[in-house]
Structures are given as structure tokens and as C-alpha cells.
Amino acid sequence: MRLRFAGPIWYWRGPAPYHFVTVPAREAALIAEVSPVVTYGWGMIPASVTVGATTVMTSLWPKDGGYVVPVKKALQDAEDLGVGDEIEVVLDIDA
């Protein structure tokens, strides 16, 4: 499954800080349909994420009935990204 969407990068200051992009509701519903066969537990879903010319492997996190995409430091550095930047995400999930 390949999904494309855009959204702003936001910061979560938990015990370990992370940067995320929220998956829009329409795309989150499509992910939810395949989640039972692709999750490895706790609702986490392995995925390939491409922003610009950079692709990284990560896992989508379930949040508030949808999903968020972690924006790894390697991706931030390679594409010169920061909090508030609006990015286009290409998300690949093997379903």
C-alpha cells in the first residue's frame, strides 16, 4: 500500500522527544483496514517513509484513533526539516 499526504511536523516532548507528522483521517482509515495483518504489536505498523529524496524505515504509532509518522533525525538532517515545516510524505506499507 502506498499513500501520499502532506502535513506539518510537530514535536512531542515525552520521556524521549520525537517529531511527528499526523496521518490524515482518510489515509488513517485505509491503514486501519490492513493493520491486523501488518502490525507487530501495540498497534505499531512498520513502514517506509520518503520525504524529498530520503527514505527511512520506521513504524507508525497509533494515536487518538489514527496514526502518526515519526520523523527520524536522519530524515530531518538529510532534508533540512524542522518543527512546523509542511512536508509531503510517501508512506509504503507492505500489506
Side-chain angles (χ1 to χ4, degrees):
M1 166 187 296
R2 175 169 277 186
L3 302 171
R4 293 176 188 268
F5 58 88
I9 296 175
W10 54 274
Y11 177 75
W12 177 68
R13 191 186 78 138
Y18 284 93
H19 292 82
F20 294 98
V21 172
T22 301
V23 177
R26 182 175 86 58
E27 288 82 358
L30 295 171
I31 295 168
E33 289 178 14
V34 299
S35 68
V37 296
V38 296
T39 186
Y40 60 83
W42 310 286
M44 306 292 275
I45 297 176
S48 168
V49 176
T50 303
V51 176
T54 307
T55 301
V56 297
M57 292 302 297
T58 192
S59 293
L60 308 181
W61 296 20
K63 180 170 181 4
D64 301 330
Y67 296 93
V68 295
V69 179
V71 182
K72 290 184 169 187
K73 178 87 168 111
L75 186 55
Q76 293 172 48
D77 291 347
E79 296 295 325
D80 193 28
L81 302 172
V83 172
D85 287 346
E86 181 87 12
I87 61 172
E88 185 172 317
V89 176
V90 178
L91 190 63
D92 288 299
I93 299 170
D94 289 334

